[in-house]
Amino acid sequence: MKFTNRTILIVGGTSGIGLGLAHRFAKDGNTVIVGGRNPETRDGLETVRIDVTDPASILRARDEVIAAHADLDVVVTMSGVLLTEDLRDPAHITDAENMVATNLLGTIRVIDAFTPHLINRGAGTIITVSSGIAFLPFPLMATYGATKAAVHSYTESLRAHLKGTGVEVAELVPPAVATPAMAKLNPAAVPVEEYLDEVMELLAVEPRPQEIVVKAALPLRWAERDGTYAELLERRSAPLDNLPGR
Ligand SMILES: NC(=O)c1ccc[n+]([C@@H]2O[C@H](COP(=O)([O-])OP(=O)(O)OC[C@H]3O[C@@H](n4cnc5c(N)ncnc54)[C@H](OP(=O)(O)O)[C@@H]3O)[C@@H](O)[C@H]2O)c1
């Protein structure tokens, strides 16, 4: 069912896919709040300052949003850091820690902050954001892929925990989408608006799919089932040859 007349918080909605999604939801008649560490006014959207690596910041943001919007009923955990790594260089650990703290622990903490509110309302939606990489690694982004595989697994467990509460759980599984973060890494990335067109269509399907997988993400999502995993993984490992010293 199309989201309309809902109150939607997109944590990680201050740029990229999250900001684009926020505009789509606002256009469909929803109240939308976008959150991030840099919440300067975003084209007329309401904003909240939140750093998902800081538990106190998450709770402050939660209290601020719920005080202003007691009817908040959709939370999107979009915050993410996408970094490449060279696993032969132990210095990568700093980036790895950052990605685990933001992409995985940040997701878990934001969900924890809002779940009691949604359960009390007896209705609502949590939308997590994994990636095609969760299902087929891109070895240059090793920890990133690991965090997204973890987000997928966590989402499946969360759905089981929330069964019967009225809170639904959906997962966005984006392919490479040409946000500034990704466009420089992958020239073949799907244009943001094209991606969002398909996402909005899939979100409106009834009953809503548990995973929102656009066409470009299908080969990644189903590589293992389709028997293409080994071949695609080898192809996706080729960029490692361009790392210094290889
Ligand atoms: N683009 C792709 O190809 C692609 C593919 C698969 C999955 N995804 C996922 O989609 C999501 C959005 O990606 P994007 O490409 O749109 O990236 P982006 O433009 O860099 O957006 C990332 C968002 O995360 C927020 N963020 C980062 N660190 C944060 C922190 N510590 N606390 C709170 N917010 C934080 C940023 O806001 P502030 O800077 O204001 O904090 C921003 O709003 C990510 O989860 C990403 O992993 C993207």
Side-chain angles (χ1 to χ4, degrees):
M1 197 197 312
K2 192 170 165 174
F3 285 89
T4 186
N5 292 319
R6 309 281 298 265
T7 300
I8 303 175
L9 170 66
I10 304 183
V11 182
T14 52
S15 67
I17 297 173
L19 184 58
L21 190 62
H23 284 301
R24 297 295 182 114
F25 281 144
K27 196 164 146 268
D28 282 350
N30 299 286
T31 299
V32 185
I33 308 110
V34 295
R37 294 159 303 174
N38 306 293
E40 294 71 32
T41 310
R42 286 291 187 275
D43 313 327
L45 292 167
E46 191 177 329
T47 61
V48 63
R49 185 177 301 279
I50 180 168
D51 180 346
V52 302
T53 65
D54 174 359
S57 165
I58 295 173
L59 297 184
R60 261 197 313 273
R62 186 266 320 266
D63 292 347
E64 186 182 323
V65 170
I66 292 177
H69 300 282
D71 58 350
L72 176 80
D73 61 350
V74 183
V75 177
V76 183
T77 57
M78 182 69 72
S79 297
V81 186
L82 301 77
L83 298 169
T84 59
E85 296 165 284
D86 180 349
L87 301 193
R88 294 188 195 180
D89 177 2
H92 85 97
I93 192 66
T94 309
D95 287 342
E97 285 175 349
N98 182 12
M99 287 185 275
V100 171
T102 307
N103 304 0
L104 177 56
L105 279 175
T107 295
I108 293 172
R109 286 195 169 112
V110 170
I111 291 169
D112 280 349
F114 287 95
T115 300
H117 166 81
L118 296 175
I119 292 175
N120 276 342
R121 293 189 82 256
T125 308
I126 295 172
I127 302 178
T128 62
V129 182
S130 65
S131 168
I133 280 180
F135 303 93
L136 179 69
F138 179 63
L140 199 54
M141 298 171 71
T143 304
Y144 176 76
T147 63
K148 292 300 184 175
V151 167
H152 167 67
S153 175
Y154 195 84
T155 303
E156 301 260 273
S157 295
L158 178 68
R159 186 176 297 115
H161 279 263
L162 296 184
K163 194 172 174 196
T165 64
V167 182
E168 70 168 332
V169 179
E171 174 184 350
L172 293 191
V173 186
V177 177
T179 59
M182 179 52 79
K184 59 181 187 292
L185 287 171
N186 187 342
V190 179
V192 178
E193 294 305 321
E194 198 176 299
Y195 172 66
L196 291 171
D197 284 344
E198 223 179 317
V199 165
M200 296 313 284
E201 266 174 37
L202 290 171
L203 283 174
V205 168
E206 199 146 2
R208 200 182 334 275
Q210 295 184 345
E211 295 176 10
I212 304 300
V213 189
V214 302
K215 284 187 214 76
L218 289 171
L220 309 179
R221 174 65 183 93
W222 299 113
E224 197 156 11
R225 180 196 68 187
D226 295 345
T228 53
Y229 190 99
E231 184 200 330
L232 289 175
L233 180 56
E234 193 175 334
R235 223 186 287 162
R236 288 160 69 85
S237 302
L240 295 178
D241 294 340
N242 300 326
L243 286 171
R246 304 278 175 107

